[in-house]
Amino acid sequence: MKHAISTLALLAALSPLSAGAVEYNQVLPAKSSVAFTYQQMGVAVDGQFRKFSGQLSFDPAKPTAARVSFDVELASVDTGAPEGDAEVAGKPWFNTAAFPVARFVSSSVKALGGNRYEVAGKLTIKGRTQDVVVPATFTAQGASGVFEGAFTLRRADFAIGEGSWAKFDIVANDVRLKFRIAASGK
């Protein structure tokens, strides 16, 4: 459902990089997270994705040269309930049998000043690709660093919630993705 979309969007946001004197090039999944929030019947619902991976190249001295690709395993969605996880993995929502992965690939990184960046790229979910711009911050922590950010995506842009779920009366169209991506460098 929207959980998966939010998570994908979070993955895309995690990809943005910036700041430091080290080139950050290895995602540390055990120290990272991709979460989402959406409204269901007017109530905020939180979830996360448990499995994701990425490749990145980020030198804080050269942020415009940064590159990132990030994959989220949609079947790893955690809605807080096993029946919810199974529902979201099904054909009307993520259709993980046909589309197991959501992918973000950056096309540019823009430094906004301080530790803030704007990462543009393409987000693909369920075979549909959309241009997205993800705001992110970067904090160096020695030989590692953390990219954090959040953005909103619309599930209708990716056909997440088909058939009777295509309406937004029960599950809202907007999904807020929040990410924290830790990376090591050299």
Side-chain angles (χ1 to χ4, degrees), residues 8-19 55-60 62-70 103-113 115-123 130-139 146-152 177 179 181:
L8 296 175
L10 291 179
L11 294 176
L14 294 175
S15 303
L17 319 169
S18 63
Q55 286 84 45
L56 61 90
S57 174
F58 177 71
D59 179 347
K62 303 174 192 172
T64 59
R67 295 181 322 273
V68 64
S69 65
F70 202 84
R103 169 171 272 191
F104 173 80
V105 177
S106 67
S107 56
S108 68
V109 175
K110 178 180 178 183
L112 300 176
N115 68 340
R116 298 177 309 116
Y117 299 86
E118 193 171 79
V119 181
K122 301 214 177 270
L123 177 61
Q130 296 286 323
D131 291 321
V132 297
V133 176
V134 178
T137 61
F138 175 77
T139 305
V146 176
F147 302 93
E148 294 183 281
F151 66 99
T152 300
L177 293 136
F179 60 91
I181 304 297

Side-chain angles (χ1 to χ4, degrees), residues 17-184:
L17 319 169
S18 63
V22 170
E23 179 181 336
Y24 299 90
N25 54 23
Q26 184 172 348
V27 173
L28 304 171
K31 296 181 179 183
S32 303
S33 63
V34 176
F36 57 91
T37 301
Y38 66 96
Q39 296 280 321
Q40 183 167 326
M41 297 177 61
V43 176
V45 178
D46 298 321
Q48 64 182 328
F49 289 93
R50 299 222 178 256
K51 294 182 182 178
F52 46 85
S53 61
Q55 286 84 45
L56 61 90
S57 174
F58 177 71
D59 179 347
K62 303 174 192 172
T64 59
R67 295 181 322 273
V68 64
S69 65
F70 202 84
D71 292 339
V72 174
E73 292 183 33
L74 297 176
S76 75
V77 66
D78 180 353
T79 64
E83 61 277 0
D85 300 349
E87 174 69 26
V88 173
K91 189 172 181 179
W93 295 101
F94 287 130
N95 192 3
T96 60
F99 304 101
V101 174
R103 169 171 272 191
F104 173 80
V105 177
S106 67
S107 56
S108 68
V109 175
K110 178 180 178 183
L112 300 176
N115 68 340
R116 298 177 309 116
Y117 299 86
E118 193 171 79
V119 181
K122 301 214 177 270
L123 177 61
T124 302
I125 303 171
K126 284 184 78 174
R128 293 186 179 204
T129 301
Q130 296 286 323
D131 291 321
V132 297
V133 176
V134 178
T137 61
F138 175 77
T139 305
Q141 299 175 345
S144 64
V146 176
F147 302 93
E148 294 183 281
F151 66 99
T152 300
L153 65 92
R154 290 182 178 82
R155 63 184 183 89
D157 291 344
F158 300 96
I160 299 172
E162 296 181 48
S164 62
W165 293 109
K167 299 176 187 174
F168 310 120
D169 54 341
I170 295 175
V171 178
N173 192 26
D174 290 351
V175 176
R176 186 79 173 159
L177 293 136
K178 183 178 178 183
F179 60 91
R180 179 183 193 280
I181 304 297
S184 63

